[in-house]
Amino acid sequence: MPTLLLAGADTWEPMPTTMNALATTIPAARHVVWPGQSHFVTMTAPTLVADALRQSFAEAPAG
């Protein structure tokens, strides 16, 4: 199952530690971290999130 993990680099703990653990535990997970963004990246930079989602959907196997 394709898994996309999205995070802002400036997000406070325990989120970065949790996301890093998920990224190393989930096979083939794609982990995107945006510099200068916080946990609220969906509100502060929605285009970044939309672009990552579009790319992930485009790369997902048809099924």
Side-chain angles (χ1 to χ4, degrees):
M1 179 75 163
T3 303
L4 178 62
L5 302 169
L6 305 174
D10 296 345
T11 299
W12 51 92
E13 288 294 339
M15 290 302 291
T17 299
T18 302
M19 294 296 273
N20 289 335
L22 288 170
T24 59
T25 303
I26 300 171
R30 182 167 167 236
H31 188 195
V32 176
V33 180
W34 294 291
Q37 296 297 324
S38 73
H39 182 69
F40 301 105
V41 66
T42 55
M43 297 296 288
T44 60
T47 302
L48 290 176
V49 177
D51 289 345
L53 289 171
R54 269 192 286 277
Q55 181 178 357
S56 182
F57 294 145
E59 294 171 358

